[in-house]
Amino acid sequence: MNQPILGFVVALPNEWKYFRAAFSHLRRGRCRGLTEYRGRFGDLNCVIMLGGVGKENAAVAARTLVEHHSLSALISLGYAGALSPELIRGDIVLSAYSMTPAKPSVTQWELELEQNLHLVADQSHEHHVYVSPIFTADRIIARHHEKHRIFEQTGAEIVDMESISIFKVAREERIPFLGIHSVTDTAEEDIPALEVITPFLASKSFWRYPKIFWDIITHPKFIYDMAILNHNARIAGKYLAHFLKANEAALGDLIRSCMGSYPKGPSSVERRV
């Protein structure tokens, strides 16, 4: 019998450099031009794909994973911005599904998974762990008034730019989806230096690196802004890596349970949330 394989999608190497501490026996490779790592999460085999920023890149990464590996689950792993004012930097948020401005149809199985995620959150005494759907945006949600508006409209406590694509691929393949994210910026904070961050993240060219370097050194304020962003990312990354290691067994048991209980046929029970 084949061993279960978990597929993790991570957007950027800058995130992965912190998260990788929670994985073992890592071997780096390439698949369809994307960097992947094969290894172990606890006693489960896994493949981690570095997909890039945004929904399109995440869809390609998730689709590449399912087409080249016999996955048992898809996991969106990374940073997220807080929408809820309750969250602080480094808090962990677990998600059973992702959403966009269009209210999603959520299956009964996903609602049950959400309840089971609360059990994992309650057992994680070393961390502030929350459970919420993750809102996926088309761009960086940088201003506090935007964060407040989305939170009021959707109830989602965090936002990213990738998870909806991973969630959709998991549904199409009829395998469980799970989101695990760490908060980098709070709901009250505005993200600085968008003038250089946005084009850098949107570009796939090698020249984006010398360009962002030039933009920073020619605008001294960006040096401070980028230092703050790097500091915040380091906090979020280390907290997430520590959470994964400390809760390896509980997450492994949850994922096994998901694989065993996921409905194999078309879901007949959905509701709008």
Side-chain angles (χ1 to χ4, degrees):
M1 181 178 177
N2 292 333
Q3 290 293 316
I5 301 176
L6 310 181
F8 291 83
V9 179
V10 177
L12 294 171
N14 189 50
E15 299 175 86
W16 172 241
K17 71 180 182 181
Y18 298 111
F19 309 158
R20 65 178 296 155
F23 298 83
S24 63
H25 302 88
L26 291 170
R27 305 181 307 281
R28 180 174 175 167
R30 301 282 290 179
C31 186
R32 283 191 181 174
L34 297 174
T35 299
E36 69 171 20
Y37 291 83
R38 302 189 190 197
R40 305 273 287 179
F41 177 67
D43 59 355
L44 291 170
N45 295 322
C46 65
V47 183
I48 304 97
M49 185 75 71
L50 305 188
V53 173
K55 291 189 283 190
E56 182 178 342
N57 287 330
V60 171
R63 181 53 57 191
T64 300
L65 277 171
V66 300
E67 289 178 358
H68 288 80
H69 305 280
S70 299
L71 296 187
S72 302
L74 262 174
I75 299 168
S76 177
L77 182 68
Y79 294 153
L83 300 176
S84 166
E86 183 178 358
L87 299 177
I88 63 173
R89 196 169 354 272
D91 281 349
I92 308 300
V93 182
L94 307 177
S95 305
Y97 59 94
S98 180
M99 63 194 304
T100 61
K103 294 286 187 178
S105 295
V106 181
T107 67
Q108 183 62 38
W109 185 89
E110 287 155 358
L111 295 175
E112 292 171 0
L113 171 59
E114 196 167 54
Q115 294 304 309
N116 290 331
L117 290 177
H118 280 286
L119 298 178
V120 174
D122 292 342
Q123 293 169 6
S124 181
H125 303 299
E126 296 182 67
H127 305 84
H128 294 149
V129 184
Y130 298 81
V131 177
S132 167
I134 182 168
F135 182 87
T136 298
D138 294 323
R139 56 181 175 80
I140 297 173
I141 304 300
R143 305 304 178 212
H144 66 277
H145 60 84
E146 290 185 289
K147 299 177 185 181
H148 295 167
R149 176 179 55 79
I150 295 172
F151 180 58
E152 290 174 358
Q153 291 176 347
T154 69
E157 297 186 9
I158 55 171
V159 57
D160 77 345
M161 295 173 60
E162 294 82 31
S163 288
I164 191 67
S165 296
I166 303 163
F167 175 57
K168 286 180 176 179
V169 171
R171 270 192 165 184
E172 290 166 3
E173 296 297 316
R174 305 200 188 285
I175 57 176
F177 164 88
L178 177 62
I180 307 175
H181 294 84
S182 182
V183 170
T184 53
D185 51 286
T186 71
E188 306 304 324
E189 292 175 323
D190 290 345
I191 299 175
L194 283 186
E195 302 94 322
V196 293
I197 295 173
T198 301
F200 175 79
L201 294 178
S203 174
K204 295 182 180 180
S205 168
F206 167 80
W207 297 105
R208 69 188 187 276
Y209 292 101
K211 183 181 185 306
I212 194 172
F213 178 75
W214 175 254
D215 287 340
I216 291 171
I217 64 173
T218 55
H219 299 80
K221 181 181 180 298
F222 289 157
I223 297 175
Y224 174 78
D225 290 341
M226 296 302 289
I228 292 296
L229 290 173
N230 187 62
H231 171 75
N232 294 346
R234 183 167 63 251
I235 292 173
K238 289 184 175 180
Y239 270 90
L240 183 50
H242 189 268
F243 168 78
L244 291 171
K245 288 191 288 186
N247 295 275
E248 184 182 273
L251 289 170
D253 289 344
L254 174 67
I255 292 167
R256 285 191 182 87
S257 174
C258 289
M259 293 186 298
S261 64
Y262 194 83
K264 301 306 180 185
S267 177
S268 59
V269 182
E270 295 187 354
R271 76 172 193 185
R272 293 277 177 182
V273 297

